[in-house]
């Protein structure tokens, strides 16, 4: 099915270049045989309208506790089949995660391009950190590993960056210029920083120091669950964290993503910020949709 939908990647990308708006002057497609760099990702101008031709890409979101995926209609930003969620294997080693991602792709009988998130720094496919996965990932070419495991071309990017791209294109950040920050509160804290709609990749603001500790130990969803904190108490930690972000970046808009974005009414009343703060619109589907969307615009490297 996917072969028919996609044909080869190259014609799709030249189409993409034509359809993108004027400020994007450099080609999005990596040169043949080259892996897209984070420079290419940063060039994802999220204001770009979805492309004219229909395109379905398998979106996969690798998280610290679950690996979720579904085929995404990247024109509409919608899932075209029910999402499959598999638990993240523990320990979350490269071999174990690659096997789970391969199971997911097989479930959808997938043979086309995949956009995939990873909960760590990802530069040109290489994993640069491992706060919530096995340290054996550091320095590995995660993109190549997952491409081998699935037999499909894959574009790998940081999970918060993918969610941010989805929100900027299709969700709460639509039409927003200036400095926009998406913060995901989940197993860890992820961040995606946009300056006039251009992504600054791999910002890792979840590891800022808050009250002498790594911020994600106080303000992530996992911290709330582990410590058994009330929403009110945890909301105060989130407030302190966002105030720190506010002091450092003076953003125009903060978007709160992750599963907790569904429960904004429980902790938003604790937030005392001068900055506008809104919950993410795509909630926990943002990673899947953003990964698929980015893979379509940037194009995964050929196998
Ligand atoms: C990682 C980030 C990731 C975030 C959310 C953090 O621990 O360092 O790369 O985006 O968790 O998964």
């Amino acid at each position: 099915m996917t072969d028919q939908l996609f044909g080869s990647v190259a014609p799709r990308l030249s189409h993409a270049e034509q359809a993108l708006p004027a400020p994007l002057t450099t080609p999005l497609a990596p040169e043949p045989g080259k892996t897209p760099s984070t420079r290419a990702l940063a060039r994802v101008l999220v204001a770009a309208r979805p492309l004219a031709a229909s395109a379905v890409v398998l979106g996969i979101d690798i998280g610290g506790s679950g690996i979720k995926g579904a085929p995404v209609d990247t024109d509409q930003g919608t899932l075209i089949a029910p999402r499959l969620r598999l638990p993240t294997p523990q320990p979350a080693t490269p071999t174990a995660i690659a096997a789970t991602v391969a199971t997911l792709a097989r479930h959808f009988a997938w043979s086309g391009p995949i956009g995939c998130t990873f909960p760590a720094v990802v530069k040109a496919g290489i994993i640069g950190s491992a706060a919530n996965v096995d340290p054996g990932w550091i320095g590995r070419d995660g993109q190549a590993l997952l491409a081998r495991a699935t037999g499909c071309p894959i574009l790998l990017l940081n999970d918060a960056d993918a969610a941010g791209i989805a929100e900027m294109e299709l969700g709460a950040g639509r039409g927003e210029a200036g400095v926009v920050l998406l913060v995901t509160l989940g197993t860890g804290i992820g961040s995606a920083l946009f300056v006039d709609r251009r992504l600054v990749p791999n910002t890792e603001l979840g590891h800022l120091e808050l009250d002498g500790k790594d911020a994600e130990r106080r303000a992530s969803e996992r911290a709330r669950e582990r410590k058994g904190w009330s929403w009110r108490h945890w909301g105060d930690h989130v407030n302190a964290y966002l105030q720190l972000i506010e002091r450092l970046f003076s953003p125009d808009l903060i978007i709160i993503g992750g599963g907790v974005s569904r429960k904004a009414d429980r902790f938003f009343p604790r937030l005392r910020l001068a900055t506008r703060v809104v919950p993410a619109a795509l909630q926990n589907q943002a990673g899947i949709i953003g990964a698929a969307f980015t893979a379509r615009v940037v194009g995964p490297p050929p196998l």
Side-chain angles (χ1 to χ4, degrees), residues 78-148:
T78 51
L79 310 191
I80 62 158
R83 187 186 83 138
L84 177 69
R85 181 188 191 278
L86 301 170
T88 304
Q90 300 298 337
T93 59
T95 316
I97 287 196
T100 306
V101 168
T103 304
L104 211 141
R106 267 200 311 277
H107 170 82
F108 292 106
W110 203 255
S111 59
I114 298 177
C116 185
T117 78
F118 197 78
V121 169
V122 185
K123 284 186 85 173
I126 312 289
I127 309 306
S129 65
N132 292 307
V133 287
D134 187 85
W137 277 100
I138 295 178
R140 292 288 298 264
D141 187 337
Q143 187 166 261
L145 175 69
L146 298 178
R148 274 197 307 277

Side-chain angles (χ1 to χ4, degrees), residues 7 10 33 42 69-70 84 87 107 124 139 153 191 195 225 229 244 264 268 298 300:
L84 177 69
H107 170 82
S191 59
V195 182
E225 287 169 355
W229 285 333
L244 175 62
F268 267 46
V298 177

Side-chain angles (χ1 to χ4, degrees), residues 224 229-238 266-267 270:
R224 188 185 65 78
W229 285 333
S230 66
W231 285 95
R232 195 184 157 92
H233 181 78
W234 178 72
D236 288 341
H237 287 307
V238 174
R266 314 282 288 270
F267 65 100
R270 305 302 297 168

